[in-house]
Amino acid sequence: MLIPAAARALTIPIVASGGIADARGLVAALALGADGVNMGTRFLCTQESSIDQQVKEQIVANSERDTQLIFRTMHNTARVADNEISRKVVEIEKAGGKFEDVRELVSGARGRRVFEDGDLDAGIWSVGLCQGLIEDIPTCADLIGRMVSEAEELINARLARFVSA
């Protein structure tokens, strides 16, 4: 992670992003020099999120291995949920396909159907590896409250043991 380098070079607040879904990630980011965290996948899976309930439930069911990397051959890699469409895109790329060959599969309109209708194979949908850490669909207030209290416990109990008085 380059958070320490950014913290050394910048005087503005730093927000760590990527792979953070719980208090452990928050504490690690703070220890590296971040002032806060961004949690895209984690907030997708909250009660207030407007995505379809089936998508939220699939995120909870998925492990960190249930993703695909698409557009690698196009030097524009994106991590998306492992589904029928993302596997097809990867196959087309491996066979030498170009963007024109996957354009219809990866269209925003198809991805919107996933989030709005809950059709998990309608298109590609972004999700991070941290889905493997997500076990529930709380309210945002409950999620943040839990993360703060668990972070305090980690810092004051577990990590305090490593510091001699």
Side-chain angles (χ1 to χ4, degrees):
M1 297 191 114
L2 293 175
I3 297 169
R8 183 176 58 237
L10 300 171
T11 59
I12 60 172
I14 298 167
V15 176
S17 186
I20 302 167
D22 62 15
R24 295 167 295 185
L26 170 61
V27 170
L30 295 174
L32 289 169
D35 298 293
V37 296
N38 170 46
M39 300 187 302
T41 299
R42 186 61 190 101
F43 278 112
L44 277 178
C45 206
T46 59
Q47 290 182 24
E48 292 88 347
S49 171
S50 63
I51 67 172
D52 189 88
Q53 184 69 19
Q54 290 184 133
V55 179
K56 296 175 191 183
E57 291 171 5
Q58 188 63 52
I59 291 171
V60 171
N62 282 352
S63 79
E64 65 279 0
R65 293 174 295 220
D66 295 314
T67 66
Q68 291 285 337
L69 293 173
I70 62 171
F71 304 148
R72 293 184 89 173
T73 61
M74 300 168 206
H75 307 290
N76 192 22
T77 304
R79 185 173 300 280
V80 298
D82 179 29
N83 68 4
E84 179 183 319
I85 300 299
S86 63
R87 287 188 297 272
K88 190 178 293 187
V89 170
V90 169
E91 286 176 28
I92 292 169
E93 283 190 73
K94 284 182 181 176
K98 303 295 182 215
F99 184 75
E100 296 75 31
D101 302 314
V102 298
R103 177 189 321 260
E104 194 275 325
L105 294 171
V106 301
S107 74
R110 289 183 71 133
R112 190 170 39 254
R113 282 183 31 218
V114 173
F115 288 136
E116 291 177 355
D117 302 337
D119 181 350
L120 300 172
D121 285 316
I124 60 165
W125 47 287
S126 295
V127 69
L129 294 172
C130 70
Q131 70 181 344
L133 299 172
I134 299 172
E135 299 175 341
D136 61 358
I137 306 169
T139 65
C140 290
D142 288 345
L143 172 62
I144 293 168
R146 180 175 69 207
M147 284 185 67
V148 169
S149 66
E150 288 176 2
E152 289 173 349
E153 182 180 328
L154 276 169
I155 293 166
N156 293 323
R158 184 175 191 286
L159 296 179
R161 295 181 303 179
F162 296 103
V163 179
S164 59

